Amino acid sequence: VPISTPEQTFLDLAAVGVGLVDLVVVADGLIKTGHTSPERLIETAAQWDGRGCRLARRAGALARKAVDSPQETRLRLLLVLAGLPEPCVNLIVRGRDGGWRRRYDLAYEELRLIIEYDGRQHAEDAQQWLTDIFRREELDQIRWRLVIITSEGIYREPLRTLERVRDALLDCGA
């Protein structure tokens, strides 16, 4: 049975006019599941001159490894496309002993600033809520700043989200 490659599917979506953000969400998902890599998407898009080629090239350049969710991609792109510096994806913070402690969605490591996307389960799941409390206390102990963004901050109040992150960046020395 003929089947499309992940790279061709990416190009096909660009050709039918999927928006930039949605195309990067797809690309990050394909990368996360091991079906392709940012390098392969960039290379494929660079060689293609069909409809949507510019969109595919731009989306390929914005795709990243290890993104855990579509909302993390949307939040990262909200920041980047608004002109804020690009945060690193899935920063691992180590404990005093050097061991792995926690992983955070987005971070500006040199500024000790973490940007976390919290979905509904963070409020509705009692265990998740408790884990989040401990995570926040650990960050306070090691003097990292934390900004939490919800879907409201992406879809309904993106300007407020950008202002919050910008203000945190400035407060942390950017």
Side-chain angles (χ1 to χ4, degrees), residues 19-149:
L20 175 65
V21 172
D22 289 332
L23 192 57
V24 178
V25 166
V26 169
D28 283 355
L30 289 170
I31 294 163
K32 174 72 176 175
T33 57
H35 295 294
T36 192
S37 68
E39 297 79 18
R40 285 200 309 251
L41 291 177
I42 290 168
E43 181 182 323
T44 302
Q47 295 172 358
W48 188 49
D49 61 359
R51 186 171 184 195
C53 63
R54 282 178 281 179
L55 174 62
R57 290 178 190 132
R58 189 166 183 210
L62 290 166
R64 299 291 177 264
K65 293 180 182 177
V67 176
D68 287 332
S69 74
Q71 292 298 75
E72 288 177 26
T73 298
R74 292 179 192 289
L75 176 55
R76 177 174 56 85
L77 292 178
L78 174 65
L79 302 176
V80 170
L81 296 175
L84 293 176
E86 182 169 357
C88 72
V89 175
N90 284 322
L91 174 75
I92 295 174
V93 173
R94 301 192 178 278
R96 291 184 179 142
D97 63 357
W100 189 95
R101 288 295 300 150
R102 305 269 185 209
R103 188 176 75 178
Y104 295 93
D105 298 340
L106 302 170
Y108 298 96
E109 188 172 9
E110 65 284 355
L111 299 172
R112 301 177 70 83
L113 173 62
I114 291 171
I115 313 296
E116 281 277 284
Y117 173 79
D118 277 5
R120 189 175 299 259
Q121 81 279 4
H122 288 265
E124 295 177 351
D125 181 316
Q127 185 59 48
Q128 181 67 58
W129 187 35
L130 188 59
T131 299
D132 289 345
I133 289 170
F134 294 141
R135 285 169 57 117
R136 291 172 187 138
E137 288 175 357
E138 286 180 5
L139 286 175
D140 285 344
Q141 289 173 355
I142 60 173
R143 292 182 171 74
W144 278 72
R145 171 105 182 245
L146 173 67
V147 176
I148 297 172
I149 309 297

